Amino acid sequence: MEKTALIYCEGKFGTMDGKTANGLIRRSGKYKVVGVIDSTKAGLDTGEVLEGKKNGIPFFSSLENALQSLTNVPNEFIYGIAPSEAFLKKAERNMILKAMRHGMNIVNPLHEFFTDDKEFMKYSLQYKVEITDVRKPPLKKDMHLFSGRILDIPTPVVAVLGTDSAVGKRTTSVILEDALIEQGLNVAFVATGQTGLIQGAKYGVAIDAIPSQFMTGEIENEVMKAYEIENPDIIIVEGQGALSHPAYISSCGIIRGARPGAVIVQHPPNRKNLGDFSFMEMPSIKSEIDLIENFSSSKVISVTINHENMTDKEIEDVIKQYEDHLKLPTTDVLKFGCDKLITSIFEKFPLLKDKKSKVLVN
């Protein structure tokens, strides 16, 4: 039976820091989400707030409000915020202890590991609940160094990179995955962040929790597992941060480890400053493309945009501008789907078009 989940996202739903909750509302293959705790939106529908259409998943003002309103206590309590400081506040800590007292398992995406906390572990034993630290890396003896195996695989690898954190790289990746599956292709998706793993990605690693020496090897290993187990027609790899971002090195590890044959770049045209670093200006889409192509042997084949703070007219104007100036197919997958992306992928990897044709004919 599918596990039910209640997500905590106080004051952050629909924002950059709420990206874990946002992602789980858009897609959750692992849990049935029954509500989100955010008192600033209590009484509203999460789908209506996020995408303008109801999905039947409500907001609650508190944990108590959720437990009073729901028929059954959810199986899981998911901390759905990705704050830059990545540590719990006292009130949040007390709420998680209360969730355990009610018999809820805890899913923790933070860099602060609950399984290293004596009080949390005492409560988990007392109330017979499980704690999952999504970002907790394996022991170093179990990590992988880069081996070069990735250099020999014939399967096309496409990475979805971006110009900042929380710009929609994972969202675009999973929408593209679904669109390629609809084309009849066997697609493997490799997650590189906590949200994708909580969503139920079969392959992946929280790359920002891995020591730098092992980053490329861990990414390579997950891509190789997907290749060897699934025998896919194409592999989609989720990006993290941005190659140009001064605070993150995740994109470097992903490019080196996954060795993508093509890259899609996601960009928020109306974002003026880096998300958690307001003292730094956003890079231009052109500068990021140049950096990616100079750093790797990969070519950027298309651009996707994040339409935050944009009108429909602005979206249309930016798409036309980018296609004119960058000479690259450009789209907003949430508004217009993935047709342009699929066309660019088939042009880059023509054998995929043949596989698609054979599948659809058969």
Side-chain angles (χ1 to χ4, degrees), residues 311-357:
T311 65
D312 287 347
K313 177 66 164 56
E314 287 175 322
I315 295 169
E316 292 171 3
D317 289 346
V318 164
I319 288 174
K320 185 177 187 307
Q321 177 191 340
Y322 285 4
E323 291 190 331
D324 288 344
H325 294 169
L326 301 173
K327 307 303 180 187
L328 289 170
T330 303
T331 192
D332 177 339
V333 298
L334 288 175
K335 294 274 187 181
F336 306 117
C338 291
D339 289 351
K340 289 182 180 179
L341 303 187
I342 292 172
T343 298
S344 66
I345 288 171
F346 285 162
E347 287 177 356
K348 176 65 177 176
F349 306 108
L351 290 179
L352 284 178
K353 196 168 185 179
D354 295 339
K355 288 185 178 182
K356 166 207 164 186
S357 300

Side-chain angles (χ1 to χ4, degrees), residues 213-328:
Q213 184 178 5
F214 296 98
M215 271 189 174
T216 56
E218 285 295 292
I219 290 292
E220 178 193 42
N221 186 62
E222 290 302 315
V223 174
M224 291 305 300
K225 279 200 301 185
Y227 168 70
E228 291 165 355
I229 294 172
E230 305 296 335
N231 189 27
D233 298 316
I234 184 171
I235 300 171
I236 306 296
V237 180
E238 173 196 11
Q240 290 294 318
L243 188 58
S244 63
H245 203 299
Y248 306 131
I249 61 170
S250 305
S251 288
C252 175
I254 290 167
I255 291 171
R256 293 297 197 211
R259 308 289 294 195
V263 173
I264 294 166
V265 180
Q266 178 102 0
H267 179 62
N270 275 9
R271 189 180 295 184
K272 305 305 180 187
N273 301 95
L274 294 175
D276 291 317
F277 302 84
S278 58
F279 53 88
M280 299 200 72
E281 290 185 0
M282 283 285 295
S284 69
I285 181 64
K286 178 66 166 60
S287 68
E288 195 72 29
I289 290 171
D290 289 345
L291 181 60
I292 290 167
E293 293 188 339
N294 286 324
F295 180 80
S296 69
S297 58
S298 310
K299 286 292 183 183
V300 173
I301 60 171
S302 50
V303 173
T304 51
I305 65 172
N306 175 324
H307 59 243
E308 63 182 42
N309 302 317
M310 296 178 71
T311 65
D312 287 347
K313 177 66 164 56
E314 287 175 322
I315 295 169
E316 292 171 3
D317 289 346
V318 164
I319 288 174
K320 185 177 187 307
Q321 177 191 340
Y322 285 4
E323 291 190 331
D324 288 344
H325 294 169
L326 301 173
K327 307 303 180 187
L328 289 170

Side-chain angles (χ1 to χ4, degrees), residues 45-320:
D45 180 278
T46 58
E48 199 167 27
V49 169
L50 194 62
E51 296 184 332
K53 54 185 178 182
K54 290 187 177 182
N55 60 16
I57 302 173
F59 286 103
F60 298 110
S61 60
S62 63
L63 175 60
E64 292 78 9
N65 174 226
L67 293 175
Q68 290 169 1
S69 303
L70 295 168
T71 304
N72 299 304
V73 175
N75 304 115
E76 316 287 312
F77 182 92
I78 301 175
Y79 187 92
I81 304 175
S84 56
E85 64 271 16
F87 294 101
L88 285 178
K89 300 177 179 67
K90 184 176 180 180
E92 294 174 337
R93 180 182 182 86
N94 291 336
M95 180 180 54
I96 289 169
L97 292 171
K98 188 176 293 184
M100 285 196 272
R101 285 200 298 270
H102 283 281
M104 301 172 69
N105 299 315
I106 306 300
V107 179
N108 168 37
L110 298 174
H111 285 293
E112 175 184 6
F113 302 138
F114 296 174
T115 52
D116 292 340
D117 185 297
K118 290 182 180 179
E119 186 177 24
F120 278 157
M121 292 309 294
K122 175 185 174 183
Y123 266 64
S124 72
L125 291 171
Q126 182 177 348
Y127 295 103
K128 296 181 174 59
V129 299
E130 295 181 358
I131 297 175
T132 301
D133 287 322
V134 179
R135 269 189 168 124
K136 194 168 190 177
L139 297 174
K140 287 187 175 67
K141 69 180 181 64
D142 297 322
M143 291 184 189
H144 300 82
L145 293 169
F146 184 75
S147 70
R149 293 180 299 153
I150 193 77
L151 303 175
D152 297 323
I153 72 169
T155 303
V157 177
V158 177
V160 181
L161 306 182
T163 53
D164 191 11
S165 60
V167 293
K169 297 179 289 289
R170 183 199 65 257
T171 298
T172 291
S173 296
V174 296
I175 291 174
L176 177 59
E177 176 192 10
D178 289 342
L180 289 168
I181 289 171
E182 287 180 7
Q183 292 288 316
L185 296 177
N186 180 17
V187 185
F189 170 62
V190 177
T192 57
Q194 73 277 9
T195 305
L197 296 173
I198 297 172
Q199 285 177 318
K202 192 173 178 181
Y203 304 99
V205 57
I207 191 66
D208 62 357
I210 302 295
S212 59
Q213 184 178 5
F214 296 98
M215 271 189 174
T216 56
E218 285 295 292
I219 290 292
E220 178 193 42
N221 186 62
E222 290 302 315
V223 174
M224 291 305 300
K225 279 200 301 185
Y227 168 70
E228 291 165 355
I229 294 172
E230 305 296 335
N231 189 27
D233 298 316
I234 184 171
I235 300 171
I236 306 296
V237 180
E238 173 196 11
Q240 290 294 318
L243 188 58
S244 63
H245 203 299
Y248 306 131
I249 61 170
S250 305
S251 288
C252 175
I254 290 167
I255 291 171
R256 293 297 197 211
R259 308 289 294 195
V263 173
I264 294 166
V265 180
Q266 178 102 0
H267 179 62
N270 275 9
R271 189 180 295 184
K272 305 305 180 187
N273 301 95
L274 294 175
D276 291 317
F277 302 84
S278 58
F279 53 88
M280 299 200 72
E281 290 185 0
M282 283 285 295
S284 69
I285 181 64
K286 178 66 166 60
S287 68
E288 195 72 29
I289 290 171
D290 289 345
L291 181 60
I292 290 167
E293 293 188 339
N294 286 324
F295 180 80
S296 69
S297 58
S298 310
K299 286 292 183 183
V300 173
I301 60 171
S302 50
V303 173
T304 51
I305 65 172
N306 175 324
H307 59 243
E308 63 182 42
N309 302 317
M310 296 178 71
T311 65
D312 287 347
K313 177 66 164 56
E314 287 175 322
I315 295 169
E316 292 171 3
D317 289 346
V318 164
I319 288 174
K320 185 177 187 307

